[in-house]
Amino acid sequence: MFRSITPLMRSDAARIEDHLIRLCTDDRSLRFTAGLVTDETIRRHVSAIPFERDLVLGFVSQRGSVFGLVHGCVFTAAGRTHVEAAFSVDAAWRGRGLATALMQALTVCIADRVDDKGATVVGSCAARNLPMRAVFGHAGMTLRREDDEFHAHGVVRPSLAMAA
Ligand SMILES: CC(C)(COP(=O)(O)OP(=O)(O)OC[C@H]1O[C@@H](n2cnc3c(N)ncnc32)[C@H](O)[C@@H]1OP(=O)(O)O)[C@@H](O)C(=O)NCCC(=O)NCCS
């Protein structure tokens, strides 16, 4: 399963778009932490992904469709590399460890890229999003509650270890 996770590029934009558009209204809200997320919003979001900078990994079926996705948005804050991770898995594929595997793959990718200082990984999810909270928790990230949201925080070092 883990081996079939693949890095995605600009040439994969259409299949990423199709995957995100398949999310139902509620899943879109959870994924984008927003109210109403239209197809057009998703198209604009995907066309704006800087694939050369960010880490985008997915499960791709033999027919070429993306059925699980993690987008690691890379940015610098206080002189330190940060990666904000957001996940989505097709409804039919949930509960089989795909998001957990995507988190592990993202951690490996970050560890391959970072210098000795390491990188901070962050993520957030609605308090009611128990699967997402479990994925962050399994990765060893610290979870902090703020109103109806949980904010996850962890550090990836070149050694691959994630520390709170
Ligand atoms: C959140 C999401 C990505 C999880 O994907 P997934 O592939 O089903 O996750 P996993 O199979 O790796 O499961 C993660 C954990 O959640 C647990 N889990 C699943 N459903 C659960 C539920 N209803 N209540 C509590 N725990 C649950 C699983 O048991 C697993 O924990 P375990 O390894 O200890 O058993 C998926 O539900 C999704 O795409 N949701 C819509 C978009 C979204 O919410 N994105 C998150 C914003 S960052």
Side-chain angles (χ1 to χ4, degrees), residues 9-155:
M9 300 157 225
R10 168 119 6 243
S11 53
D12 299 302
R15 60 181 112 223
I16 293 171
E17 216 175 83
D18 289 346
H19 161 69
L20 292 171
I21 283 176
R22 276 197 299 278
L23 296 175
C24 70
T25 306
D26 190 42
D27 286 346
R28 290 180 185 198
S29 295
L30 290 171
R31 166 60 181 78
F32 292 98
T33 323
L36 184 66
V37 180
T38 65
D39 291 2
E40 190 44 37
T41 306
I42 289 174
R43 287 193 190 96
R44 277 204 306 271
H45 165 81
V46 175
S47 71
I49 296 174
F51 285 90
E52 63 294 339
R53 183 199 70 187
D54 288 354
L55 294 164
V56 186
L57 306 173
F59 281 96
V60 181
S61 73
Q62 285 183 341
R63 290 184 177 182
S65 105
V66 170
F67 56 100
L69 181 73
V70 58
H71 177 187
C73 176
V74 180
F75 61 97
T76 304
R80 189 177 170 81
T81 301
H82 284 64
V83 181
E84 179 166 19
F87 297 79
S88 49
V89 170
D90 271 3
W93 283 92
R94 292 192 191 151
R96 304 181 195 202
L98 267 60
T100 302
L102 286 164
M103 182 81 226
Q104 288 167 357
L106 181 71
T107 304
V108 171
C109 274
I110 296 169
D112 282 349
R113 276 197 182 191
V114 288
D115 58 23
D116 291 347
K117 285 192 286 186
T120 299
V121 183
V122 295
S124 58
C125 65
R128 67 186 170 91
N129 197 340
L130 300 180
M132 201 56 238
R133 285 166 54 183
V135 170
F136 288 138
H138 289 328
M141 298 173 81
T142 298
L143 283 160
R144 178 176 51 82
R145 183 167 188 158
E146 206 173 287
D147 300 324
D148 283 341
E149 264 191 67
F150 271 84
H151 298 280
H153 175 279
V155 173

